[in-house]
Coordinates of all heavy atoms in Angstrom, one line a residue:
D80 N -3.2 105.0 8.3 CA -3.7 106.1 7.5 C -4.1 107.2 8.5 O -3.8 108.4 8.4 CB -4.9 105.7 6.7 CG -4.6 105.4 5.3 OD1 -3.4 105.7 4.9 OD2 -5.4 105.0 4.6
Q81 N -4.6 106.7 9.7 CA -5.1 107.7 10.7 C -3.9 108.2 11.6 O -3.9 109.3 12.1 CB -6.1 107.1 11.6 CG -7.4 106.7 10.9 CD -8.3 105.6 11.7 OE1 -8.3 105.7 13.0 NE2 -8.9 104.7 11.0
H82 N -2.9 107.3 11.7 CA -1.7 107.7 12.5 C -0.4 107.5 11.8 O 0.3 106.5 12.2 CB -1.7 106.9 13.9 CG -3.0 106.9 14.6 ND1 -3.4 107.9 15.4 CD2 -4.1 106.0 14.6 CE1 -4.6 107.6 15.9 NE2 -5.0 106.5 15.4
P83 N -0.2 108.3 10.7 CA 1.0 108.0 9.9 C 2.3 108.1 10.7 O 3.3 107.5 10.2 CB 0.9 109.1 8.8 CG -0.1 110.0 9.1 CD -1.0 109.4 10.3
E84 N 2.3 108.8 11.8 CA 3.6 108.9 12.5 C 3.9 107.8 13.5 O 4.9 107.7 14.0 CB 3.5 110.3 13.3 CG 2.7 110.3 14.6 CD 1.2 110.0 14.3 OE1 0.7 110.3 13.2 OE2 0.5 109.5 15.3
D85 N 2.9 106.8 13.6 CA 3.1 105.8 14.5 C 4.0 104.7 14.0 O 3.7 103.9 13.2 CB 1.7 105.2 14.8 CG 1.8 104.2 16.0 OD1 2.8 103.6 16.3 OD2 0.7 104.0 16.7
K86 N 5.3 104.8 14.5 CA 6.3 103.9 14.1 C 6.0 102.4 14.4 O 6.3 101.5 13.6 CB 7.6 104.4 14.7 CG 8.9 103.4 14.5 CD 9.6 103.7 13.2 CE 10.9 102.9 13.2 NZ 10.7 101.5 13.1
R87 N 5.5 102.2 15.6 CA 5.2 100.9 16.1 C 4.1 100.2 15.1 O 4.3 99.0 14.8 CB 4.7 100.9 17.5 CG 5.1 99.7 18.2 CD 4.6 99.5 19.6 NE 4.5 98.1 19.6 CZ 3.4 97.3 19.4 NH1 2.3 98.0 19.2 NH2 3.3 96.1 19.5
L88 N 3.1 101.0 14.8 CA 2.1 100.4 13.9 C 2.7 100.1 12.5 O 2.4 99.0 12.0 CB 1.1 101.5 13.6 CG -0.3 101.2 13.5 CD1 -0.8 100.2 14.5 CD2 -1.3 102.4 13.6
A89 N 3.6 100.8 12.0 CA 4.3 100.5 10.7 C 5.1 99.2 10.9 O 5.1 98.4 10.0 CB 5.2 101.7 10.3
D90 N 5.7 99.1 12.0 CA 6.6 97.9 12.3 C 5.7 96.7 12.2 O 6.1 95.6 11.8 CB 7.2 98.0 13.7 CG 8.4 98.9 13.6 OD1 8.8 99.3 12.5 OD2 8.9 99.3 14.8
Q91 N 4.5 96.8 12.8 CA 3.5 95.7 12.9 C 3.2 95.2 11.4 O 3.1 93.9 11.1 CB 2.3 96.0 13.6 CG 2.4 96.4 15.1 CD 3.3 95.4 15.8 OE1 3.1 94.2 15.8 NE2 4.5 95.9 16.3
L92 N 3.1 96.1 10.4 CA 2.8 95.7 9.1 C 3.9 94.9 8.6 O 3.7 93.9 7.8 CB 2.5 97.0 8.3 CG 1.7 96.8 7.1 CD1 0.3 96.1 7.4 CD2 1.4 98.2 6.5
T93 N 5.2 95.3 8.8 CA 6.3 94.5 8.4 C 6.3 93.1 9.1 O 6.5 92.1 8.5 CB 7.6 95.3 8.7 OG1 7.4 96.6 8.4 CG2 8.8 94.7 8.0
L94 N 6.1 93.2 10.4 CA 6.2 91.9 11.2 C 5.1 90.9 10.8 O 5.3 89.7 10.9 CB 6.0 92.2 12.7 CG 7.2 92.9 13.4 CD1 6.9 93.2 14.8 CD2 8.5 92.0 13.3
L95 N 4.0 91.5 10.2 CA 2.9 90.6 9.8 C 3.4 89.5 8.8 O 2.8 88.5 8.8 CB 1.8 91.4 9.1 CG 0.5 90.8 8.7 CD1 -0.2 90.1 9.9 CD2 -0.4 91.7 8.1
N96 N 4.4 89.9 8.0 CA 4.9 88.9 7.0 C 5.4 87.6 7.7 O 5.4 86.5 7.1 CB 6.1 89.6 6.2 CG 5.5 90.7 5.3 OD1 4.5 90.5 4.6 ND2 6.0 91.8 5.4
K97 N 6.0 87.8 8.9 CA 6.6 86.6 9.5 C 5.7 86.2 10.7 O 6.2 85.3 11.5 CB 8.1 86.8 9.8 CG 8.3 87.9 10.8 CD 9.9 87.8 11.2 CE 10.1 88.8 12.3 NZ 10.8 88.2 13.5
A98 N 4.5 86.7 10.8 CA 3.6 86.2 11.8 C 3.1 84.8 11.6 O 2.9 84.5 10.4 CB 2.5 87.2 12.0
T99 N 2.9 84.2 12.7 CA 2.4 82.7 12.6 C 0.8 82.8 12.5 O 0.1 82.7 13.5 CB 2.9 81.9 13.8 OG1 4.2 82.1 14.0 CG2 2.6 80.4 13.6
I100 N 0.4 82.9 11.3 CA -1.1 82.9 11.0 C -1.2 81.8 10.0 O -0.9 81.9 8.9 CB -1.6 84.2 10.4 CG1 -1.3 85.4 11.4 CG2 -3.1 84.1 10.2 CD1 -1.5 86.7 10.8
T101 N -1.6 80.6 10.5 CA -1.5 79.4 9.6 C -2.5 78.4 10.0 O -3.3 78.6 11.0 CB -0.1 78.9 9.8 OG1 0.1 77.8 9.1 CG2 0.2 78.6 11.3
T102 N -2.6 77.3 9.3 CA -3.6 76.2 9.7 C -3.0 75.5 10.8 O -1.7 75.4 11.1 CB -3.8 75.2 8.5 OG1 -2.5 74.5 8.3 CG2 -4.4 75.9 7.3
I103 N -3.8 74.8 11.6 CA -3.3 74.1 12.8 C -2.4 72.9 12.3 O -1.4 72.7 13.0 CB -4.6 73.5 13.6 CG1 -4.1 72.7 14.8 CG2 -5.5 72.6 12.7 CD1 -4.0 73.5 16.0
H104 N -2.6 72.4 11.1 CA -1.8 71.3 10.7 C -0.4 71.8 10.3 O 0.6 71.2 10.6 CB -2.5 70.6 9.4 CG -3.7 69.9 9.8 ND1 -4.9 70.5 9.7 CD2 -3.9 68.7 10.3 CE1 -5.9 69.6 10.1 NE2 -5.2 68.5 10.5
S105 N -0.4 73.0 9.6 CA 0.9 73.5 9.2 C 1.7 73.9 10.4 O 2.9 73.8 10.5 CB 0.6 74.7 8.3 OG 1.7 75.5 8.3
F106 N 1.1 74.5 11.4 CA 1.7 74.8 12.7 C 2.3 73.6 13.4 O 3.5 73.6 13.8 CB 0.8 75.6 13.7 CG 1.3 75.8 15.0 CD1 2.4 76.7 15.2 CD2 0.9 75.1 16.1 CE1 3.0 76.9 16.5 CE2 1.4 75.2 17.4 CZ 2.5 76.1 17.5

Side-chain angles (χ1 to χ4, degrees):
D80 264 355
Q81 297 162 35
H82 312 275
E84 75 299 334
D85 192 331
K86 170 88 174 63
R87 212 187 147 264
L88 215 46
D90 287 346
Q91 298 310 305
L92 204 52
T93 314
L94 289 176
L95 182 61
N96 292 309
K97 60 173 187 125
T99 311
I100 304 171
T101 175
T102 64
I103 181 91
H104 293 93
S105 158
F106 171 69

